[in-house]
């Protein structure tokens, strides 16, 4: 096998990497928020994304809605689902040892995936709305990926603006910096937790809605997103929100570059090798996480 | 009139350790009270019980005659209990100003004006936009102190306000505490620096092994046999 790699090919994978990277950043930001504020790794993050994708699929197939118009609806539905999950189950393990929260969210994940199999069957579904690419010189831009990129960029930017500038956003950041102080300062930490979980689920749902136009929808589509999001926040530094942005872009680029230089099967492995390397060499992440 | 704060027969254990065991005390409105005792005598645990961070095993805590035990920490804070910590706890990745604003509700403009006023009160007005994590230890302590004042608490709990603070800053802090008292607020402070306790407090409570062993004006406490034993051994 002897393939000549041209500069145009490298340019193409960099473009593809950036396009998918922002999507990773957005979904991982949700996981990072929950970890930062509640110190919980939400294993059910990916399955929540899957529910977002199904929401879009059903709105599209039953009502013929434009799938991009369903993004805010999916987000709203999953925001409510996230708040309910927190209020009924997750709040019980906030102060518990890490293993309890891992087991609980793992259980929620299994329940969601199997529930989806029962309710929606394991058939592959697709939202065939937009296909093809825009061609610009030597580069091709997949239309659905560009649109997903734009949406994800706006939503991630919006989430950061919310965290930076609003009082509620600051209360979320304050709680993630020190929960005990936030409590005695009069911040209703329980409310902040519910809101954070809802917001994180909404970000996952946006991811699900956007990729439903790109890949097939099925109940097990979510788990890989849990792992990738975890990888992203480890890369960027757990609890470091801008780090999630950087981590997502890096993961997108690395995956694409690996698929160019290695076989497709190996390119999936690269991400995990990277995870092990980062944990060994720089366990606080590239930007440094927050010390607890 | 009910006392500003009444702690009645409060018990709190962690596993087999009785951190606070049957403590009762009552704070008079508009006075400065000291809470002293050797390390591990239960002072911080008692603070945590009052602020709702720890649940009581037994006993009652009344703020202005109303029970507050069993309430959530944020509810107790909103009823007018403010607190600082032994180790300073600012939100390092919020600016000094944001540290104050994040604890408020209500209209933003008024809150911001109030926050800037408080920062000026401790001469930090020029650092309002600086991340709290970049401030010096003493400055962070001041930010924490005025953040507590943002909600205009009626009861102020200070956990070792003098620890790690230089003399000049300490005198300013102590002045500020006296001014709070003059403004009618009730103060309870945990402190290891006896000069601070004796110079500032009007009533002192002494804890040892989770029990209150003495109570009275500083002069009397200083010569109390049980207190001397608790600190220096028999």
């Amino acid at each position: 096998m002897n393939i000549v790699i041209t500069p145009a090919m490298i340019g193409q994978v960099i473009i593809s990497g950036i396009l998918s990277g922002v999507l990773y950043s957005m979904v991982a930001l949700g996981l990072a928020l929950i970890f930062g504020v509640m110190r919980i790794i939400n294993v059910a993050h990916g399955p929540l994304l899957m529910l977002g994708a199904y929401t879009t699929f059903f709105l599209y197939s039953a009502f013929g809605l434009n799938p991009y118009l369903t993004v805010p609806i999916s987000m709203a539905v999953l925001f409510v689902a996230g708040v309910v999950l927190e209020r009924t189950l997750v709040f019980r393990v906030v102060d518990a040892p890490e293993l309890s929260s891992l087991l609980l969210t793992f259980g929620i994940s299994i329940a969601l995936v199997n529930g989806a199999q029962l309710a929606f069957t394991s058939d592959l579904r697709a939202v065939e709305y937009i296909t093809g690419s825009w061609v610009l010189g030597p580069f091709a831009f997949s239309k659905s990926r560009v649109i997903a990129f734009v949406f994800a960029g706006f939503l991630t930017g919006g989430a950061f603006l919310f965290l930076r500038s609003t009082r509620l956003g600051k209360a979320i950041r304050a709680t993630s910096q020190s929960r005990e102080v936030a409590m005695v300062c009069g911040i209703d930490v329980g409310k902040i937790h519910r809101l954070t979980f809802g917001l994180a689920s909404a970000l996952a749902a946006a991811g699900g809605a956007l990729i439903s136009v790109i890949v097939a929808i099925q109940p097990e589509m979510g788990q890989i997103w849990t792992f990738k999001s975890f990888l992203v926040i480890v890369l960027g530094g757990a609890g470091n929100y801008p780090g999630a942005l950087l981590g997502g872009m890096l993961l997108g680029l690395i995956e694409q570059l690996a698929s160019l230089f290695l076989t497709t099967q190996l390119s999936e492995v690269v991400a995990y090798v990277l995870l092990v390397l980062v944990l060994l060499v720089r366990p606080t992440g590239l930007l440094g996480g927050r010390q607890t | 009139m009910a006392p500003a704060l009444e702690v009645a027969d409060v018990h709190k254990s962690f596993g087999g350790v009785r951190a606070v065991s049957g403590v009762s005390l009552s704070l008079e409105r508009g006075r400065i009270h000291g809470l002293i005792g050797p390390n591990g005598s239960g002072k911080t645990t008692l603070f945590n019980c009052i602020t709702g961070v720890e649940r009581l095993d037994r006993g009652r805590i009344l703020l202005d005659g109303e029970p507050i035990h069993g309430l959530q920490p944020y509810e107790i804070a909103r009823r007018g209990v403010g607190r600082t910590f032994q180790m300073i706890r600012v939100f390092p990745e919020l600016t000094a100003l944001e540290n104050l604003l994040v604890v408020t509700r209500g209209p933003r403009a008024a809150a911001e004006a109030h926050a800037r006023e408080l920062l000026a009160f401790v001469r930090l007005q020029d650092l309002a936009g600086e991340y709290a994590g970049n401030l010096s230890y003493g400055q962070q302590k001041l930010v924490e102190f005025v953040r507590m004042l943002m909600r205009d608490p009626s009861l102020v709990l200070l956990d070792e306000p003098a620890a790690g603070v230089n003399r000049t800053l300490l005198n300013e802090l102590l002045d500020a505490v006296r001014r709070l008292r003059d403004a009618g607020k009730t103060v309870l402070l945990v402190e290891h620096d006896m000069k601070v306790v004796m110079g500032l407090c009007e009533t002192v409570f002494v804890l040892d092994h989770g029990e209150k062993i003495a109570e009275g004006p500083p002069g009397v406490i200083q010569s109390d046999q049980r207190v001397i034993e608790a600190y220096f051994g028999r």
Side-chain angles (χ1 to χ4, degrees):
Chain A
M1 181 169 86
N2 198 359
I3 304 169
V4 181
I5 293 167
T6 64
M9 285 165 77
I10 293 182
Q12 181 68 54
V13 297
I14 288 176
I15 289 168
S16 306
I18 291 172
L19 290 185
S20 51
V22 174
L23 214 50
Y24 289 151
S25 299
M26 177 183 71
V27 175
L29 178 62
L31 196 70
L33 272 173
I34 292 179
F35 179 74
V37 173
M38 306 169 77
R39 302 274 135 192
I40 286 175
I41 297 286
N42 180 21
V43 182
H45 197 60
L48 288 167
L49 172 145
M50 174 270 294
L51 289 183
Y54 270 104
T55 308
T56 287
F57 169 76
F58 285 116
L59 289 170
Y60 166 78
S61 58
F63 303 104
L65 274 183
N66 179 326
Y68 293 109
L69 289 181
T70 69
V71 173
I73 306 176
S74 285
M75 289 179 75
V77 169
L78 267 288
F79 178 87
V80 173
V83 169
V84 170
L85 263 182
E86 204 285 334
R87 189 70 198 84
T88 51
L89 293 171
V90 179
F91 83 97
R92 297 170 201 278
V93 295
V94 170
D95 286 315
E98 289 85 1
L99 192 59
S100 309
S101 58
L102 270 178
L103 278 175
L104 176 75
T105 57
F106 192 53
I108 294 173
S109 165
I110 293 173
L112 291 179
V113 172
N114 286 281
Q117 281 171 345
L118 200 65
F120 313 140
T121 75
S122 293
D123 296 350
L124 297 186
R125 319 280 185 139
V127 175
E128 285 170 47
Y129 183 73
I130 192 164
T131 50
S133 299
W134 288 299
V135 178
L136 199 74
F139 305 119
F141 298 84
S142 150
K143 288 178 184 169
S144 56
R145 286 189 182 272
V146 170
I147 298 173
F149 168 83
V150 171
F151 264 86
F154 270 109
L155 288 171
T156 312
F160 269 95
L161 208 62
F162 168 75
L163 288 174
R164 281 221 75 76
S165 322
T166 67
R167 195 178 289 186
L168 216 48
K170 284 174 190 166
I172 288 178
R173 282 163 58 216
T175 307
S176 86
Q177 287 166 40
S178 178
R179 184 146 60 92
E180 194 185 1
V181 183
M183 268 191 222
V184 300
C185 283
I187 294 173
D188 181 351
V189 170
K191 188 176 104 184
I192 296 294
H193 285 175
R194 287 194 286 286
L195 190 75
T196 303
F197 214 89
L199 196 65
S201 307
L203 287 172
L210 291 170
I211 62 168
S212 71
V213 188
I214 304 173
V215 299
I217 302 165
Q218 43 100 0
E220 291 184 338
M221 70 188 287
Q223 283 97 320
I224 186 74
W225 283 83
T226 300
F227 296 122
K228 285 189 176 173
S229 300
F230 181 67
L231 173 57
V232 165
I233 70 171
V234 170
L235 275 177
N240 180 329
Y241 305 139
L245 270 190
L246 177 79
M249 302 301 279
L250 272 179
L251 178 61
L253 284 172
I254 290 164
E255 276 189 353
Q256 291 295 326
L257 285 171
S259 68
L260 181 62
F261 291 103
L262 305 166
T263 64
T264 321
Q265 292 92 323
L266 269 179
S267 78
E268 288 284 315
V269 175
V270 168
Y272 297 98
V273 172
L274 193 73
L275 175 62
V276 174
L277 280 181
V278 171
L279 285 175
L280 280 177
V281 179
R282 205 171 150 71
T284 52
L286 298 178
L287 289 190
R290 183 169 302 113
Q291 57 280 49
T292 39
Chain B
M1 199 171 176
L5 183 82
E6 186 163 9
V7 171
D9 193 30
V10 164
H11 293 255
K12 177 71 196 176
S13 300
F14 298 101
V17 181
R18 286 154 69 170
V20 173
S21 154
V23 169
S24 298
L25 47 87
S26 152
L27 306 188
E28 272 181 74
R29 204 172 310 277
R31 297 184 75 116
I32 302 175
H33 309 75
L35 182 61
I36 64 172
N39 284 327
S41 58
K43 307 180 296 284
T44 299
T45 304
L46 188 61
F47 264 27
N48 286 342
C49 289
I50 297 172
T51 49
V53 174
E54 301 285 358
R55 300 243 148 201
L56 310 186
D57 295 338
R58 217 167 89 202
R60 292 182 309 144
I61 297 176
L62 309 175
L63 181 71
D64 296 320
E66 305 240 343
I68 56 166
H69 54 274
L71 293 183
Q72 289 293 319
Y74 77 92
E75 293 171 319
I76 294 175
R78 287 176 187 178
R79 282 182 182 222
V81 178
R83 177 198 182 163
T84 66
F85 289 85
Q86 188 174 356
M87 306 300 293
I88 4 173
R89 309 262 187 93
V90 292
F91 302 118
E93 287 159 43
L94 297 181
T95 66
L97 184 65
E98 285 173 342
N99 257 276
L100 271 60
L101 288 179
V102 76
V103 305
T104 59
R105 295 187 298 170
R108 154 122 200 170
E112 182 163 340
H114 186 208
R116 288 193 184 277
E117 205 174 285
L118 282 173
L119 285 175
F121 172 67
V122 289
R123 302 196 188 95
L124 286 179
Q125 64 274 32
D126 296 336
L127 294 170
E130 188 61 62
Y131 281 109
N134 296 344
L135 300 176
S136 74
Y137 185 87
Q139 289 165 336
Q140 293 189 17
K141 199 134 194 162
L142 292 172
V143 168
E144 191 191 25
F145 184 71
V146 291
R147 180 182 63 198
M148 171 201 68
L149 297 181
M150 270 306 279
R151 282 181 180 279
D152 195 25
S154 61
L155 172 65
V156 171
L157 307 175
L158 305 172
D159 201 345
E160 302 218 18
V165 173
N166 68 49
R167 278 288 139 192
T168 331
L169 188 60
L170 178 60
N171 287 330
E172 280 179 33
L173 260 174
L174 298 184
D175 271 346
V177 173
R178 286 195 190 92
R179 267 177 289 166
L180 290 181
R181 184 257 328 262
D182 296 341
K185 299 184 191 309
T186 311
V187 180
L188 177 63
L189 61 96
V190 164
E191 187 50 71
H192 277 298
D193 187 331
M194 282 305 145
K195 275 197 208 117
V196 171
V197 174
M198 298 307 162
L200 193 62
C201 300
E202 291 146 311
T203 307
V204 178
F205 306 100
V206 189
L207 293 187
D208 187 31
H209 291 116
E211 291 176 27
K212 187 178 78 177
I213 58 167
E215 166 181 353
V220 177
I221 290 295
Q222 256 175 323
S223 50
D224 187 294
Q225 198 54 39
R226 290 189 64 188
V227 176
I228 295 168
E229 274 172 20
Y231 270 93
F232 301 111
R234 229 174 269 264

